[in-house]
Amino acid sequence: MELVTPTPRIVCFGECMIELSRTALGGKSWALGHAGDCYNVAAYLARLGCNASFMSAIGTDMFSNEMYEAWVSEGVGTEFVLRHPERTPGLYAIRVDSSGERSFSYWRDQSAARAFFECYGANAALAAASTARVLYLSGITLSLYTEQERDRIRAVATAVRANGGDVVLDTNYRPRGWPARVTARRAIEALASSVTMALPTLEDDAALFGDRDARACADRWLQLGVNEVAVKLGPKGSLVATASGHQMVSTEPRQAVDTTGAGDSFNAAYLAARLAGHAPMAAARIGNRLAGIVVGNRGAIIPRVVMPMALIPAEPNSA
């Protein structure tokens, strides 16, 4: 008997890892957390009041169990979390320089998430995800799997869009995760026809597709059939684009402590605002605000005490 679960409103599919981060710049102590781009989005969506579930695989070991408990404590739905009997979570460590820019070291080649399609319940999880209101994916998610497995992800995305749902993609291009740049380009372009909302970072898409600026990046996505695009530009803010035009949304200057998770938090706030009825421009301003708070804290998932209680206004903003 395979897994049977209710359909969540939002499904974020990807990998969560054990995160090691310095407790202070130049310090010797490390803090242990749990993070990964699509999980980060799910966690921030849950904090913003959205019905978000995480789809992934973990092991049966102590670290997997602690990770699972952390997801539950965040209010993230775990109905699509599968268990692999032999594998464990991946691990990564963050190093941050004085300007808040980070670098990563990874130990994840044999993570349970990479074996998602081997796990009991995978077929049922994918079938249920096909009827979700929103499917959230990233280039990192695609990089975890074989071409045949990416075809199965694309089938889920195609079904979601055909059912009137949204498929949201952050390119999140990390060269070390792919055998070659051309492989990454082909995988993302193959998925593009199923994507309704693109939330790329210009730096990533410039490296992968050669986009010269944010407008070129947005136009390329619109030409691929995406309904709306929000191109993240770091401290400069974001560029929002739809068929009706382009608009720059600036952000307030911030002193960055750690930029880990900034883009993920923007994506979550942008998506939550759009689902609440806010227009793309207003959603981008909300996304910029949360990202600005996140870069002022260490780690991908910031403490709850520094999360604004009312980040998303109750009344939709059409501006």
Side-chain angles (χ1 to χ4, degrees), residues 11-318:
V11 176
C12 300
F13 183 22
E15 179 180 25
C16 185
M17 292 173 284
I18 299 168
E19 177 193 74
L20 296 178
S21 60
R22 295 286 192 185
T23 55
L25 183 64
K28 300 298 183 182
S29 298
W30 294 83
L32 186 150
H34 306 98
D37 65 337
C38 290
Y39 168 71
N40 300 342
V41 172
Y44 283 119
L45 282 169
R47 289 187 181 186
L48 293 168
C50 295
N51 181 11
S53 293
F54 187 50
M55 187 160 71
S56 190
I58 53 176
T60 58
D61 57 288
M62 176 186 70
F63 290 106
S64 293
N65 293 335
E66 290 178 352
M67 182 178 285
Y68 184 92
E69 291 169 3
W71 298 345
V72 172
S73 69
E74 284 287 358
V76 174
T78 56
E79 59 267 51
F80 295 142
V81 176
L82 309 182
R83 296 280 188 164
H84 194 285
E86 299 174 355
R87 296 196 180 198
T88 58
L91 168 71
Y92 78 101
I94 308 170
R95 292 186 180 275
V96 182
D97 63 22
S98 59
S99 67
E101 286 302 319
R102 71 273 194 244
S103 59
F104 303 94
S105 297
Y106 292 96
W107 299 266
R108 65 193 295 200
D109 289 348
Q110 295 299 312
S111 73
R114 288 178 177 268
F116 174 88
F117 292 92
E118 301 172 12
C119 294
Y120 175 79
N123 290 338
L126 293 168
S130 297
T131 63
R133 168 64 182 83
V134 178
L135 175 66
Y136 182 92
L137 302 167
S138 79
I140 292 178
T141 301
L142 299 179
S143 74
L144 300 175
Y145 302 112
T146 66
E147 184 175 354
Q148 292 72 28
E149 290 166 341
R150 288 195 291 268
D151 287 343
R152 298 183 68 182
I153 296 172
R154 187 167 67 251
V156 174
T158 300
V160 170
R161 184 163 187 172
N163 292 335
D166 282 304
V167 178
V168 184
L169 176 69
D170 183 345
T171 310
N172 226 350
Y173 174 55
R174 299 293 181 266
R176 74 178 68 187
W178 295 93
R181 190 178 78 158
V182 66
T183 308
R185 287 187 59 161
R186 288 172 179 167
I188 290 170
E189 287 172 344
L191 182 68
S193 62
S194 300
V195 176
T196 60
M197 181 187 297
L199 302 175
T201 297
L202 177 58
E203 183 179 359
D204 294 342
D205 277 28
L208 182 57
F209 296 104
D211 297 331
R212 64 184 183 279
D213 54 34
R215 189 181 184 95
C217 177
D219 287 343
R220 177 176 49 77
W221 280 108
L222 292 174
Q223 290 165 8
L224 288 169
V226 171
N227 297 333
E228 67 182 87
V229 188
V231 183
K232 299 185 291 290
L233 302 169
K236 295 180 180 179
S238 52
L239 177 77
V240 174
T242 64
S244 60
H246 306 68
Q247 185 67 50
M248 181 68 191
V249 182
S250 60
T251 189
E252 296 179 8
R254 301 274 185 169
Q255 178 60 49
V257 173
D258 182 354
T259 58
T260 306
D264 303 327
S265 65
F266 174 95
N267 293 353
Y270 183 94
L271 179 56
R274 292 291 286 125
L275 291 172
H278 292 273
M281 285 281 292
R285 284 193 289 271
I286 293 167
N288 286 344
R289 183 184 175 201
L290 181 56
I293 295 168
V294 168
V295 300
N297 293 269
R298 297 193 181 280
I301 307 294
I302 62 176
R304 283 183 174 273
V305 294
V306 298
M307 278 281 292
M309 294 298 293
L311 183 73
I312 301 176
E315 291 297 321
N317 189 332
S318 60

